[in-house]
């Protein structure tokens, strides 16, 4: 190791990927048998050693150096190493732990194991998008799949039908559940692992993306003792996170909160959570019926899928309970039409619905590598009128800091419509267009909020293109 050049021998560099070096803030500088010495920053806690030993499969020794010196080592050796090149991963006894800790460490929500004719791969979903992380030798794939199925208490002999299971992972610093789903495909079983945190106490409504005015309107609606709060959006738009943050706020010793979920993604101390089991008749509507005999104050229903569940939610609201749920629609006002199409009487919707919310999750541009560009009209949908003040936009480049995706982190944007008396005539007529009303009341639509994020340089045109074309 030459102090003047900060160069590390290539055989040592191969032991750690660029992704791992930047994430854990480590650089290898000495190897003796199964002992690997790593440079890291001053102040790095010893607790990281246990995780690194699982990830790297070496006995780890840390040598802490000053920040400036460490970054010279890191950038000299890993700056141009492409982290988007897939690494070949071989099966070892703690293979699953390695993959899971890597995925959780970079903030991945799902892990996909996928077999094809000549190769197998592992992809991570990072900030809502899939990126290929590893290749797996095709001859090792069946062993890996069977080990995962055994851990999830699934039948390893059943390869023709889909199966669902669950794994609990406990480390010295963390505990989390993994939801396992298998799917028979042409070349073998595909498995998706969903990482579920055990604790929802970290969620806070103030941190999700509400503007100050939107948060005030939302808080007023959840303080009401009865009524329905509906959150709409496609799969993966953050609806469940918003619901859990709301339950955390409502949760106290004087309140009886019941939830029916599929699956239970997070746990909240003091909340009575029920797992949906349709195979034995425990569906949303039957659980709701039972909940009404359990003296609840607040009820959370994972999703309103059919008219039976919708009618039970309305019945609960009419009898003095606050009901929170989600529904699949494209806009906050579209929720009204969806309920009417289900067969729910419009006068009941008008009298029980407190607030209708639509939300989307938007990836935030990486602050390190985003680049300003002049506005070009061809970048927008043909029907889009470029608003005043939108003179430039930012594009995603990709760097080691954001794992070469160009984005780092996500935030929610909301469209919030309080259901007040003025809207009753619109609801009863199932009026589809209320743009004039929204403008008069200064209610920000998803499109309006998306444009603001482009102006502020928070996200790219590409990321919110679908909202701009609405």
């Amino acid at each position: 190791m030459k102090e003047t050049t900060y160069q590390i021998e290539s055989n040592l560099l191969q032991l750690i990927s660029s992704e791992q070096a930047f994430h854990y803030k480590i650089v290898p500088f000495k190897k003796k048998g199964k002992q690997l010495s790593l440079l890291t920053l001053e102040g790095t806690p010893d607790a990281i050693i246990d995780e690194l030993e699982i990830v790297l499969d070496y006995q780890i020794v840390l040598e802490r150096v000053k920040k400036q010196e460490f970054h010279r080592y890191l950038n000299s050796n890993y700056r141009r190493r492409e982290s988007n090149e897939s690494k070949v991963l071989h099966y070892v006894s703690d293979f699953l732990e390695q993959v899971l800790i890597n995925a959780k460490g970079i903030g991945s929500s799902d892990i996909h194991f996928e077999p094809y004719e000549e190769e197998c791969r592992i992809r991570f979903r990072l900030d809502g998008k899939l990126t290929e992380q590893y290749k797996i030798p095709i001859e090792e794939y069946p062993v890996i799949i069977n080990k995962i199925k055994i851990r999830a208490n699934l039948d390893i002999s059943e390869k023709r039908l889909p199966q669902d299971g669950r794994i609990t992972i406990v480390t010295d610093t963390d505990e989390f559940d993994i939801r396992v789903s298998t799917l028979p495909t042409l070349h073998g079983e595909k498995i998706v692992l969903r990482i579920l945190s055990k604790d929802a106490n970290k969620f806070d409504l103030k941190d999700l993306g509400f503007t100050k005015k939107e948060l005030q309107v939302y808080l007023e609606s959840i303080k009401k003792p009865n009524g329905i709060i509906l959150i709409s959006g496609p799969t993966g738009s953050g609806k469940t996170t918003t619901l859990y943050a709301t339950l955390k706020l409502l949760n106290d010793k004087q309140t009886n909160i019941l939830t029916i979920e599929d699956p239970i993604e997070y746990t909240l101390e003091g909340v009575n959570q029920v797992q949906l089991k349709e195979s034995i008749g425990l569906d949303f509507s039957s659980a709701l019926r039972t909940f009404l005999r359990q003296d609840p104050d607040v009820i959370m229903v994972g999703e309103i899928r059919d008219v039976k569940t919708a009618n039970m939610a309305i019945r609960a609201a009419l009898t003095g309970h606050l009901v929170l749920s989600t529904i699949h629609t494209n806009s906050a006002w579209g929720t009204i039409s969806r309920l009417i199409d289900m067969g729910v009487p419009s006068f009941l919707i008008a009298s029980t619905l407190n607030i209708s919310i639509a939300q989307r999750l938007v990836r935030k541009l990486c602050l390190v590598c985003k680049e300003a560009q002049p506005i070009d009209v061809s970048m927008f949908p043909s029907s889009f009128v470029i608003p005043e003040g939108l003179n430039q936009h930012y594009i995603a480049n990709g760097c080691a800091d954001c794992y070469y995706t160009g984005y780092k982190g996500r935030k929610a944007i909301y469209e919030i419509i309080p259901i007040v008396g003025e809207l009753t005539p619109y609801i009863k007529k199932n009026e589809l267009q209320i743009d004039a009303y929204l403008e008069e009341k200064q209610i920000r639509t998803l499109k309006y909020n998306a444009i603001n994020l482009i102006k502020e340089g928070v996200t790219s045109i590409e990321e919110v293109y679908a909202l701009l074309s609405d």
Side-chain angles (χ1 to χ4, degrees):
M1 182 173 70
K2 295 182 179 179
E3 191 73 10
T4 52
T5 62
Y6 292 92
Q7 292 299 312
I8 304 293
E9 295 174 12
S10 60
N11 63 321
L12 286 172
L13 292 179
Q14 291 170 3
L15 299 176
I16 293 175
S17 69
S18 176
E19 178 184 293
Q20 291 168 335
F22 278 94
H23 174 66
Y24 290 107
K25 301 291 188 293
I26 53 173
V27 174
F29 77 98
K30 192 190 299 180
K31 176 178 172 288
K32 185 177 180 181
K34 286 294 288 180
Q35 187 180 85
L36 181 62
S37 298
L38 304 172
L39 294 172
T40 189
L41 291 166
E42 284 183 333
T44 300
D46 286 336
I48 197 175
I49 292 175
D50 292 337
E51 187 170 324
L52 288 172
E53 288 182 342
I54 293 174
V55 172
L56 302 176
D57 197 25
Y58 280 95
Q59 182 185 344
I60 299 299
V61 175
L62 296 181
E63 182 170 317
R64 296 164 177 85
V65 296
K66 292 185 182 299
K67 184 176 180 180
Q68 185 177 0
E69 185 181 5
F70 172 77
H71 281 292
R72 290 187 70 176
Y73 277 114
L74 182 65
N75 293 324
S76 296
N77 293 283
Y78 284 103
R79 182 169 46 195
R80 290 187 173 87
R81 293 172 65 82
E82 291 295 323
S83 70
N84 54 0
E85 290 181 1
S86 300
K87 176 183 173 184
V88 176
L89 207 58
H90 293 280
Y91 176 74
V92 290
S93 59
D94 59 353
F95 172 91
L96 185 59
E97 279 76 7
Q98 285 189 40
V99 173
L100 288 172
I101 288 172
N102 273 343
K104 200 166 189 294
I106 66 172
S108 174
S109 60
D110 299 85
I111 306 165
H112 293 239
F113 291 77
E114 300 170 319
Y116 296 97
E117 188 173 7
E118 296 180 355
E119 65 177 21
C120 304
R121 67 180 179 180
I122 298 177
R123 291 193 292 171
F124 290 175
R125 188 172 293 281
L126 187 61
D127 289 335
K129 300 292 181 182
L130 283 170
T131 58
E132 186 174 304
Q133 297 292 320
Y134 304 110
K135 302 281 190 188
I136 305 174
I138 197 163
E139 64 275 9
E140 295 181 19
Y141 188 77
V143 177
I144 290 168
I145 293 305
N146 281 341
K147 293 290 184 182
I148 294 173
K149 290 172 74 174
I150 289 168
R151 291 283 297 273
N153 293 317
L154 301 179
D155 183 358
I156 62 170
S157 65
E158 180 54 80
K159 303 178 188 299
R160 301 166 302 166
L161 294 172
Q163 297 185 71
D164 292 299
R166 205 175 182 98
I167 301 172
T168 298
I169 303 292
V170 181
T171 68
D172 291 338
T173 57
D174 201 1
E175 181 179 350
F176 53 96
D177 281 347
I178 308 296
R179 192 176 76 199
V180 182
S181 173
T182 73
L183 179 71
T185 68
L186 179 62
H187 299 292
E189 287 182 284
K190 171 184 166 72
I191 284 190
V192 176
L193 308 182
R194 163 65 62 88
I195 300 174
L196 308 173
S197 174
K198 296 280 280 184
D199 184 19
N201 286 310
K202 60 186 178 180
F203 296 138
D204 195 317
L205 284 172
K206 295 176 184 176
D207 301 329
L208 298 185
F210 287 103
T211 65
K212 191 174 181 180
K213 182 183 176 184
E214 287 171 345
L215 183 59
Q216 182 184 352
V217 171
Y218 184 60
L219 291 176
E220 285 174 5
S221 72
I222 66 173
K223 286 175 182 175
K224 293 179 181 179
N226 58 280
I228 301 176
I229 292 161
L230 280 182
I231 303 175
S232 67
T235 302
S237 59
K239 302 186 296 294
T240 303
T241 301
T242 302
L243 283 180
Y244 275 110
T246 306
L247 290 180
K248 179 192 167 189
L249 191 66
L250 294 171
N251 188 19
D252 59 44
K253 291 180 180 179
Q254 289 80 42
T255 307
N256 180 20
I257 302 176
L258 299 171
T259 77
I260 173 73
E261 306 169 58
D262 183 29
I264 297 173
E265 294 194 25
Y266 306 95
T267 57
L268 265 174
E269 189 70 30
V271 174
N272 305 284
Q273 297 173 265
V274 178
Q275 169 67 52
L276 189 83
K277 288 191 178 73
E278 289 185 324
S279 58
I280 59 170
L282 182 58
D283 56 16
F284 286 127
S285 60
S286 63
L288 262 172
R289 191 176 294 109
T290 304
F291 281 4
L292 294 179
R293 296 193 288 271
Q294 287 283 319
D295 187 30
D297 299 295
V298 178
I299 296 171
M300 194 266 269
V301 183
E303 184 185 341
I304 290 181
R305 298 176 181 170
D306 52 48
V307 68
K308 280 175 63 180
T309 308
N311 283 330
M312 284 303 303
I314 282 173
R315 179 180 161 191
L318 286 170
T319 51
H321 307 94
L322 185 64
V323 181
L324 292 80
S325 191
T326 69
I327 191 167
H328 284 284
T329 59
N330 290 325
S331 67
W333 189 247
T335 295
I336 310 295
S337 296
R338 176 84 176 106
L339 290 172
I340 291 172
D341 290 345
M342 278 183 178
V344 179
S346 57
F347 72 91
L348 285 179
I349 298 171
S351 60
T352 57
L353 190 59
N354 289 353
I355 196 167
S356 180
I357 300 170
Q359 76 174 80
R360 298 290 188 278
L361 272 183
V362 174
R363 290 187 297 168
K364 297 191 290 185
L365 286 163
C366 174
L367 297 175
V368 175
C369 64
K370 70 178 183 179
E371 182 184 332
Q373 298 272 324
I375 286 292
D376 183 347
V377 69
S378 65
M379 297 171 175
F380 296 95
S382 57
S383 59
F384 183 76
V385 178
I386 298 175
E388 189 178 337
L390 185 56
N391 304 314
Q392 67 172 17
H393 71 107
Y394 286 82
I395 60 169
N397 278 322
C399 65
D401 204 57
C402 60
Y403 306 102
Y404 297 92
T405 63
Y407 298 90
K408 193 170 185 181
R410 292 187 288 179
K411 72 173 294 179
I413 56 173
Y414 295 90
E415 179 178 294
I416 299 178
I417 303 179
I419 307 303
V420 293
E422 295 172 72
L423 283 173
T424 302
Y426 295 98
I427 295 172
K428 289 183 176 178
K429 293 176 186 176
N430 196 8
E431 180 65 55
L432 298 178
Q433 294 296 332
I434 60 163
D435 292 352
Y437 174 85
L438 298 180
E439 193 172 336
E440 180 193 340
K441 298 297 180 182
Q442 296 183 326
I443 293 173
R444 293 182 168 190
T445 62
L446 290 170
K447 181 177 179 179
Y448 182 96
N449 284 326
I451 292 168
N452 271 357
L453 292 187
I454 297 171
K455 282 182 180 179
E456 295 164 6
V458 174
T459 194
S460 64
I461 294 171
E462 178 187 26
E463 180 67 9
V464 294
Y465 187 91
L467 296 177
L468 301 179
S469 61
D470 182 16

